Amino acid sequence: MQSFDEELDQWLDAIMAVPKFASMTAGAQEQVEIIVTVSAQVLVIGYQKQPKEWTTVLLEDLFF
């Protein structure tokens, strides 16, 4: 089983492979990485939910 950090690294690698990401400024790229990392950490550590348990309702609760 993958560790959370390994899974997160794979997600970030996938995001970085998207052409639109490559066309963003370095600052914008960093913001995306921070948002993804912090959101995932809050969902896994704070909400104690694994990625397969994430729902739109959970994401709405996190962001709104």
Side-chain angles (χ1 to χ4, degrees), residues 8 12 15-16 21 26 28-39:
L8 181 57
L12 292 171
I15 291 168
M16 290 177 208
F21 183 83
Q29 289 177 351
E30 184 177 331
Q31 289 175 347
V32 168
E33 291 178 41
I34 291 168
I35 291 167
V36 170
T37 300
V38 171
S39 299

